[in-house]
Amino acid sequence: MSAPANPPANPPANATGRVRRRGIGDFAKGGVPIVGLTAYTAPIAGLLDPHVDFMLVGDSLGMVVYGFDSTLPVTVEMMIAHGGAVMRGSARALVVVDLPFGAYQESPEQAFRNAARVMAETGCAAVKLEGGEEMAETVRFLTRRGAPVMGHVGLMPQSVHAAGGFKVQGRGREQADQVIADAVAIAEAGAFAIVVEGTVEPVARKLTEKVPVPTIGIGASPACDGQILVTDDVLGLFTEFTPRFVKRYAELAPLVSAAAEAYAADVRARRFPGREHCFGAD
């Protein structure tokens, strides 16, 4: 996929000013990579909004915001709360909200009830769910009833226990064929885009060439039609571990710590608040 010499800044918007789902697909077909980041709060959404094509309110918020050791404890109510915040904090980017574990695996009907609730209560444009061939019927059920779906194949965090941990996918012929078959099944079922996570580069590249909808890589391949990362990783807010596929564009953790240290020192030394911070002081 080669980028045009002077790529447009953003894909086309709809009547509300939001980026359109089809606009993202058309953007990718024109050779311009799709830009995505995660967002969980209104202030961060507002800062990201002018620069990205879509924001994913990922169930990764369970680990990033709530400190869980996996995404499994995340609930529909949590996704709605954060999805609504991101919608209120943004004006232009397409917003996609994850369906959490247990909210769609039981049946297509269960998936539709939760997808409809998430979309109605947040105003988001689409939901995302994990799974391949086994979820194709559910994706088809949702899309035929007006609930747009972004798929997710390769490494699937919601299945981390069944998979035996966070393991790179696509190693070996059988596993590679399965990842590709999963993506094809989800695309044929009606997903408008597919996240490809933690997948060896040749498989992600071949998959991207094979499916008719945009692929969004995270630890996959530069050949994907777009890329997404967890914003807190990009900003360097985590100090204990940086995944191999992450590029840090800032190191904010030391700045946050230093600011807290300086504030604490001022309070303890009675340098803050000063008279300029008080109401009614002479």
Side-chain angles (χ1 to χ4, degrees), residues 261-273:
E261 181 182 20
Y263 164 72
D266 278 357
V267 170
R268 290 174 182 137
R270 296 194 179 277
R271 292 189 295 265
F272 178 84

Side-chain angles (χ1 to χ4, degrees), residues 21-22 24-25 94 96 125-127 143 148-151 190-194 213-214:
R21 294 189 310 279
R22 289 184 179 177
I24 278 186
L94 183 82
V96 181
V127 296
T143 57
V149 174
M150 177 178 282
F192 72 92
I194 302 173
V213 300

Side-chain angles (χ1 to χ4, degrees), residues 229-247:
L229 286 174
V230 172
T231 297
D232 295 63
D233 286 335
V234 170
L235 299 179
L237 287 169
F238 291 126
T239 58
E240 64 277 7
F241 173 70
T242 302
R244 174 178 176 174
F245 56 82
V246 170
K247 179 177 179 179

Side-chain angles (χ1 to χ4, degrees), residues 61 72-83 97-104 110-111 113-119 121-122:
L61 65 83
L72 300 186
V74 175
T75 65
V76 171
E77 287 72 22
M78 291 162 69
M79 297 309 305
I80 289 172
H82 289 273
V97 177
D98 265 342
L99 291 181
F101 180 73
Y104 60 94
Q110 179 210 30
R113 284 194 299 272
N114 284 315
R117 183 183 171 196
V118 167
M119 294 185 68
E121 294 186 33
T122 67

Side-chain angles (χ1 to χ4, degrees), residues 178-199:
Q178 185 60 61
V179 173
I180 293 172
D182 285 341
V184 170
I186 294 302
E188 289 179 347
F192 72 92
I194 302 173
V195 170
V196 184
E197 181 171 358
T199 299

Side-chain angles (χ1 to χ4, degrees), residues 170-181 200 203 206:
R171 299 190 189 279
R173 179 64 180 273
E174 182 177 352
Q175 196 178 76
D177 289 346
Q178 185 60 61
V179 173
I180 293 172
V200 295
V203 173
K206 183 176 180 180

Side-chain angles (χ1 to χ4, degrees), residues 24 34-37 52-56 93-94 96 150 216 228:
I24 278 186
I34 300 163
V35 180
L37 283 170
V52 301
D53 305 317
F54 80 100
M55 286 184 281
L56 174 64
L94 183 82
V96 181
M150 177 178 282
I216 311 295
I228 187 168

